[in-house]
Every structure is written in C-alpha cells, then in structure tokens.
Amino acid sequence: MQIPGLGTVVKDADLGWYRSGPVPVPVLGGQLCRFLVDGYDDDPAQEDFHSAIRNFLALDHSALVAACPSIYAYYRDVMDDVQAAGDDDWYIAVEGPHTVLDHVRLGAEPTASRDPYGDQHVYISIECECAWEPEHGLQIVFRDGATVTKVGPYDGHLTNSAAFGDDDLDGVVYRSY
C-alpha cells in the first residue's frame, strides 16, 4: 500500500498499523525515520493523515527550537524534584532552553494518529530519550504535523487536555506537575 509522503508502507497484522521505509525528516536533522501510521484504514478522512505527514516533512529545525522553552520547563520540573529529594547524583546540568536539545535523543519512529477524544485532528508524536528523565523520556507532539502542541514525559496522549482529562488544558504545550 502507498501513503503519500511515505511511499510504500507495510501493515503489521497483529497491531493493525502501517510502517514506512526509511524517510529523511528535516525537523529531526535529516534523520532517517520509519513512520508508524495508526488508524488509517478505517479513517473517513485519510487526506488529514496525508496533510499532517506532508506538513511534518516540510518542517525544519526551527519548529523544535520554538518548543525549547516548554522542553526546558519539563527539564526544570524533573530537576527540581531531584534536588528536593537530595539526589545530586542524578542532577543533569542544562544551561537553558538554548541547549536543552543537546540532552535529547530524538526518536526515529514518528507516529501519525488521529485524536479520538478531543479535536479529532491528526497528530505526529515522537518518543524521545532525554538525559534528565531516563524512565519516562520525552514526548513531542505536532498537531496536524505542523506545530508542537505537547511536550512532556511520554504518556502516549496527544494533548494535555486528554492526558489530564481537563478541557482547560486545551492548547497548553507543557503542563507543569
């Protein structure tokens, strides 16, 4: 099967999603990524997936740079907890938002899926590793593949309003805990 922007994709019979071959992703520094596309077969508006994938592949690094203040806020929350616990062995020093991505290993399997609860948009979610939170990592989510609309520990949710069951969090990129 072909999905525009990804080319030939292969269906995982057990999980029901599609996986692409390697695709260079400019926003991730040109890294070759294998996309996962979830919920595509039964979706009545598959063009929304095509559009989100096209938007995401058109982004450059500046889209991640724009999210750095939110990513840094997540880092600060985790390090504040580390310091409060007196566990200096786990402290990771990050100068500020301008260097926070130096401590992130960007994921190589962007996942495209539709939000089944809230706004029904298609999101591209990336599960990343980060130096300050080895257990929960970092999730970066792009609404319609165009703009970062959620960062924080990887929880699988596409929006903070869905993650916390709170409509007041609609549009909040990072929710401090």
Side-chain angles (χ1 to χ4, degrees):
M1 169 181 212
Q2 297 277 319
I3 294 181
L6 301 180
T8 301
V9 295
V10 177
K11 188 169 189 172
D12 182 299
D14 294 329
L15 299 174
W17 42 252
Y18 290 97
R19 179 187 300 264
S20 76
V23 176
V25 179
V27 71
L28 303 179
Q31 177 177 206
L32 291 176
C33 295
R34 293 182 183 273
F35 279 73
L36 304 179
V37 182
D38 190 19
Y40 184 80
D41 282 336
D42 299 327
D43 198 278
Q46 292 177 341
E47 175 54 40
D48 293 351
F49 281 86
H50 307 164
S51 178
I53 291 165
R54 185 172 48 251
N55 291 341
F56 185 69
L57 291 173
L59 293 175
D60 63 23
H61 188 66
S62 65
L64 282 180
V65 171
C68 284
S70 295
I71 296 169
Y72 184 74
Y74 169 44
Y75 155 80
R76 282 292 345 137
D77 279 351
V78 173
M79 288 302 100
D80 287 349
D81 284 352
V82 166
Q83 286 182 312
D87 197 357
D88 291 337
D89 291 341
W90 285 99
Y91 188 82
I92 304 293
V94 175
E95 283 183 41
H98 64 288
T99 62
V100 73
L101 290 178
D102 295 342
H103 303 272
V104 173
R105 184 169 159 246
L106 298 168
E109 287 189 337
T111 301
S113 59
R114 186 176 295 281
D115 179 5
Y117 307 109
D119 62 14
Q120 305 288 306
H121 284 258
V122 172
Y123 289 81
I124 307 286
S125 176
I126 304 170
E127 183 177 1
C128 307
E129 294 178 15
C130 58
W132 64 87
E133 180 47 284
E135 184 177 348
H136 298 106
L138 168 67
Q139 181 179 13
I140 305 173
V141 183
F142 297 76
R143 181 179 186 215
D144 299 322
T147 307
V148 174
T149 53
K150 179 180 183 268
V151 301
Y154 186 83
D155 61 13
H157 292 284
L158 299 174
T159 65
N160 278 308
S161 58
F164 296 98
D166 184 350
D167 290 341
D168 290 340
L169 295 175
D170 189 38
V172 173
V173 176
Y174 174 68
R175 179 194 180 265
S176 181
Y177 57 89

